Amino acid sequence: MIVDISRKPDVFRYARASAEVVVDRCNTAVAAHAARFAHRYLPFLHPLPLSVSASCKNGRLYVEGSTEWQTGVEMDVLFGVLVGAVSSGVETIKNIVVEVKTKGDGYATVDITQLEELPLVRNGDVVASAYGEMELKSLDLVKKPVDKGHPIYAAQTAAALNVKRLCELMGGPCPSIQSFKIDIDVRDILTAVATVKSRDVPPGPEALFAVGVAFLTIWDMVKKWEKDERGQYPYTKIRVVSLR
């Protein structure tokens, strides 16, 4: 199911997301590419004509996007941050947030600077596990169906479908996935653990990606309850996604 947006007007929309990453260089080309095609991976997003760019400075990866369309772009740039960080070779991503989003008046012109694409170096065993924590204001809603479906079930399905598809976004060797499992728990925070086993190529990036996709799917499903009166997300962030 995709929510009907046919009665919404086209208005200018802008968003910038970022995350803490510890790398020498960021894969900004893949980050921007992933934001443009996020609708193919996050189940409730719509395709939209997104102008997007990415940059890396002071230990953070930034992705920003703008469009004149019927839906917001914050989930698209969040997805770009996730994939850009994973494709940069990190083992830990911290504090994935939406820094700002606007609707209506033009906020910023996205400056498409020279983007850098780096080959991903895979290290580790053919079994990989990733752990993540996410803060939500609406934790109780995660445990039951909302208008888009059941957040946990949708997140598990999205993660399982996407764990084999990371190579579509970042290229390089694709692991032959033999098994995949993701557990999502809701207590004081939202947690997820994903375990991936392959036959050949170390699947650490896929494990990170699976946890991130699960969290972003849940975020998208409950986002209307996460926003404040200005439409921002002051209470919502992915604290950490890390290999174990």
Side-chain angles (χ1 to χ4, degrees):
M1 180 190 76
I2 294 182
V3 175
D4 181 17
I5 61 166
S6 58
R7 296 174 184 170
K8 291 184 177 182
D10 289 352
V11 297
F12 179 85
R13 300 170 188 269
Y14 170 89
R16 182 177 69 245
S18 71
E20 292 179 26
V21 292
V22 181
V23 287
D24 293 331
R25 295 185 298 167
C26 291
N27 203 330
T28 51
V30 169
H33 175 74
R36 290 190 191 97
F37 293 100
H39 63 275
R40 297 182 180 178
Y41 302 86
L42 297 181
F44 299 103
L45 297 193
H46 297 264
L48 73 174
L50 185 65
S51 177
V52 61
S53 190
S55 61
C56 199
K57 53 190 174 184
N58 301 324
R60 294 193 73 86
L61 170 62
Y62 298 87
V63 178
E64 59 178 339
S66 65
T67 189
E68 189 168 323
W69 204 241
Q70 296 166 312
T71 62
V73 299
E74 66 267 27
M75 301 311 303
D76 305 81
V77 294
L78 280 166
F79 186 76
V81 166
L82 169 67
V83 177
V86 172
S87 65
S88 299
V90 302
E91 294 189 358
T92 299
I93 314 166
K94 293 182 178 180
N95 296 321
I96 304 176
V97 298
V98 175
E99 296 192 341
V100 64
K101 64 181 289 287
T102 63
K103 173 183 174 182
D105 296 334
Y107 174 83
T109 300
V110 175
D111 182 19
I112 309 298
T113 56
Q114 184 66 36
L115 301 177
E116 188 171 18
E117 185 164 7
L118 312 174
L120 176 67
V121 177
R122 290 177 177 266
N123 299 307
D125 196 3
V126 293
V127 178
S129 181
Y131 170 79
E133 297 178 356
M134 183 175 181
E135 294 180 17
L136 288 169
K137 182 175 66 171
S138 331
L139 273 175
D140 287 343
L141 292 177
V142 178
K143 306 174 186 178
K144 56 189 179 184
V146 295
D147 52 2
K148 293 183 179 181
H150 197 298
I152 290 179
Y153 300 157
Q156 290 170 327
T157 301
L161 291 174
N162 279 301
V163 73
K164 303 174 184 178
R165 302 183 61 199
L166 183 58
C167 287
E168 296 175 9
L169 291 165
M170 66 181 191
C174 298
S176 302
I177 305 297
Q178 287 188 304
S179 65
F180 170 72
K181 180 181 180 183
I182 185 165
D183 294 313
I184 300 173
D185 194 17
V186 186
R187 294 184 184 176
D188 294 335
I189 58 171
L190 182 68
T191 63
V193 178
T195 303
V196 186
K197 180 181 180 181
S198 79
R199 286 183 60 89
D200 41 21
V201 177
E206 281 72 19
L208 291 170
F209 184 54
V211 171
V213 165
F215 282 162
L216 291 183
T217 299
I218 291 171
W219 189 333
D220 188 29
M221 295 181 77
V222 301
K223 66 183 182 182
K224 73 178 183 180
W225 295 281
E226 292 294 302
K227 298 174 187 176
D228 65 10
E229 65 278 0
R230 298 181 298 110
Q232 307 301 308
Y233 295 97
Y235 315 105
T236 316
K237 71 176 178 180
I238 299 173
R239 283 186 186 175
V240 64
V241 180
S242 181
L243 291 178
R244 303 177 79 177

